[in-house]
């Protein structure tokens, strides 16, 4: 049940990100990748390496407060 919830949340997040980014830069390529990992920082590092990314941008919820992020 948790895996189904997490997959659904990830899909919705990808849709929302594309909808937000599309008007900002029409030529911006947006890719979606969902991966499970025991460690968030290590999982992110693996994805960055696997896709050959040059930059990783992280964000947080508005409710988390200013200048506060946990990875």
């Amino acid at each position: 049940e948790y895996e189904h919830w997490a997959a659904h949340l990830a899909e919705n997040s990808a849709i929302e990100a594309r909808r937000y980014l599309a008007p900002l830069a029409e030529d911006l390529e947006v890719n979606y990748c969902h991966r499970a990992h025991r460690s968030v920082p290590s999982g992110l590092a693996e994805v960055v390496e696997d896709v050959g990314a040059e930059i990783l941008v992280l964000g947080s919820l508005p409710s988390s407060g200013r200048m506060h992020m946990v990875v």
Side-chain angles (χ1 to χ4, degrees):
E1 187 175 307
Y2 175 79
E3 286 181 28
H4 176 72
W5 171 83
H8 184 69
L9 178 64
E11 288 175 31
N12 287 341
S13 295
I15 291 168
E16 185 177 338
R18 284 189 187 101
R19 190 177 320 133
Y20 177 79
L21 293 170
L24 298 177
E26 292 178 14
D27 60 342
L28 181 66
E29 181 181 339
V30 178
N31 296 304
Y32 164 75
C33 175
H34 176 211
R35 182 174 309 182
H37 199 283
R38 291 179 136 188
S39 162
V40 173
S42 296
L44 289 171
E46 275 186 17
V47 171
V48 166
E49 186 175 328
D50 289 350
V51 301
E54 294 180 27
I55 188 169
L56 172 65
V57 178
L58 301 173
S60 61
L61 295 172
S63 61
S64 67
R66 208 169 167 184
M67 303 298 290
H68 179 78
M69 181 182 296
V70 176
V71 176

